[in-house]
Amino acid sequence: LLIDGEWQPSQSGDRFEVENPATEKCIASMANAGPEDVAAAVTAAERAFARGDWAQAPNDRAKILWRMADLVEQRSMELGHLESISNGRPISETSSQMQVVASYFRYFAGFCDKIQGSTIPTDAAHFSYTLRVPLGVVGQLTPWNHPLMIAAKKLAPALAAGCTVVMKPSEWAPLTPTEIGKIALEAGMPSGVLNIVNGFGAQVGKALAGDPRLGKLDLTGGTETGRHLTTVAGVKKLTLELGGNDPGILLPGTDPAPFVEGLFFGSMINSGQTCGALKRLYVHRDDLNRTAEALVEFSKNIPMGDGMDDWSLLGPLQNERQF
């Protein structure tokens, strides 16, 4: 666990194993946090926020986020490898995704010194103004299907705004979100600004969501999880990115051939384990048979296998429950 700038075991000493979904073999042993570890992480984040060397230093924040982007780019193949063996996606996808991760940190690095309020005219003797201030400690619950990309999408804006963070990665694929903690420290991030507590949602996620000291809670996960968190999170600000229900539409009389690849991968990217994946396809009844035949024929030529095989375009489902 990363708490207050230090890597440490859980207070209970418990650990859990992470499996490679392609081989079902253990690839890592992680510290399994409990509620007491979550409380310690929030305390560290709260103390770091009050210290002011992060919240009140926009230029320093920008430099550190930019360095993080550079380090992610330099280690893109290594990070892609870690992601592929823990969530099953082909290495060609996971390594190239690291360029997107780096771009998030660069994009928000540019915002650090541009978070401004507005001056509102009233009359010659008075003026009103708004002032934007960070929310404080932000709790983040990240998923297993795009482990580092979605973590970065949450981390970069929260850090750029001057908030401190306690992040709980998914227990199914915690390797790259935990590795970003090492990258943050290497980039010079002050202690306590980013804290990472690995463990299971029912214990760690619930403890984090229910901590009244959070200024905001941010979840990417299942719809039922989101519904449950609204009951334990209290009145804090919430961002919930939940399941999608996305259609594809093929207009009547359209030749399906030019669109088959897009329709297939729109549905089956990451083996279909994506909130934005197509869940259904609307096709005119007169075009149904030839569209179905074209999709079936295309699918026969998609190489499936271990995500670490260069030739694989479709990896395994991430875990037994998904299967």
Side-chain angles (χ1 to χ4, degrees):
L1 313 176
L2 177 60
I3 299 177
D4 205 13
E6 300 290 337
W7 294 100
Q8 52 194 269
S10 62
Q11 293 184 38
S12 68
D14 286 347
R15 303 186 71 81
F16 67 93
E17 292 187 346
V18 180
E19 287 186 354
N20 180 338
T23 64
E24 297 184 297
K25 293 181 179 177
C26 174
I27 52 171
S29 171
M30 311 293 289
N32 185 16
E36 64 280 1
D37 299 299
V38 174
V42 175
T43 297
E46 196 176 36
R47 190 163 54 236
F49 182 75
R51 199 171 59 223
D53 58 350
W54 185 255
Q56 299 170 24
N59 290 332
D60 292 342
R61 297 201 301 269
K63 290 175 185 176
I64 289 170
L65 291 178
W66 198 273
R67 283 191 212 117
M68 289 178 69
D70 289 342
L71 290 167
V72 168
E73 272 189 343
Q74 291 167 20
R75 296 174 55 183
S76 60
M77 286 305 297
E78 176 193 345
L79 292 167
H81 175 104
L82 286 175
E83 197 135 294
S84 188
I85 62 173
S86 62
N87 87 335
R89 289 188 77 162
I91 184 71
S92 58
E93 291 178 21
T94 56
S95 56
S96 63
Q97 265 194 353
M98 298 309 148
Q99 308 305 314
V100 181
V101 170
S103 75
Y104 289 151
F105 286 109
R106 285 209 181 93
Y107 180 82
F108 284 101
F111 268 101
C112 291
D113 61 355
K114 301 174 187 67
I115 302 171
Q116 301 161 346
S118 55
T119 303
I120 303 152
T122 52
D123 58 43
H126 303 86
F127 68 92
S128 298
Y129 67 92
T130 60
L131 181 67
R132 294 185 179 273
V133 296
L135 290 168
V137 181
V138 176
Q140 298 181 341
L141 306 172
T142 67
W144 50 261
N145 58 345
H146 305 276
L148 188 52
M149 192 167 78
I150 291 179
K153 212 163 48 164
K154 297 181 186 301
L155 275 176
L159 295 171
C163 297
T164 56
V165 174
V166 179
M167 180 172 67
K168 190 207 93 67
S170 167
E171 61 270 25
W172 295 106
L175 300 190
T176 50
T178 303
E179 199 69 17
I180 204 68
K182 296 180 182 178
I183 287 172
L185 294 179
E186 188 177 339
M189 187 165 289
S191 61
V193 171
L194 173 58
N195 305 272
I196 300 173
V197 284
N198 281 300
F200 293 85
Q203 294 82 37
V204 183
K206 185 177 180 180
L208 182 57
D211 196 305
R213 295 172 293 172
L214 297 186
K216 177 174 179 174
L217 181 70
D218 186 350
L219 162 77
T220 297
T223 303
E224 286 305 313
T225 302
R227 286 200 182 104
H228 176 66
L229 285 186
T230 61
T231 67
V232 300
V235 296
K236 61 178 68 73
K237 292 178 183 290
L238 291 172
T239 296
L240 304 175
E241 182 190 4
L242 308 176
N245 195 15
D246 316 290
I249 303 172
L250 203 63
L251 297 179
T254 302
D255 177 6
F259 304 105
V260 163
E261 182 175 356
L263 290 171
F264 180 85
F265 282 108
S267 173
M268 295 305 295
I269 193 76
N270 196 20
S271 302
Q273 303 169 118
T274 302
C275 57
L278 297 179
K279 309 301 190 298
R280 61 200 186 283
L281 178 59
Y282 290 115
V283 182
H284 192 276
R285 62 173 57 86
D286 293 346
D287 303 321
L288 178 61
N289 288 340
R290 64 175 181 156
T291 302
E293 289 166 6
L295 280 165
V296 168
E297 200 57 36
F298 183 83
S299 72
K300 289 177 180 178
N301 297 313
I302 301 299
M304 294 186 292
D306 190 325
M308 286 302 296
D309 292 331
D310 289 338
W311 48 264
S312 177
L313 290 182
L314 211 58
L317 293 176
Q318 202 283 328
N319 57 67
E320 192 173 347
R321 186 171 63 181
Q322 284 295 107
F323 180 74

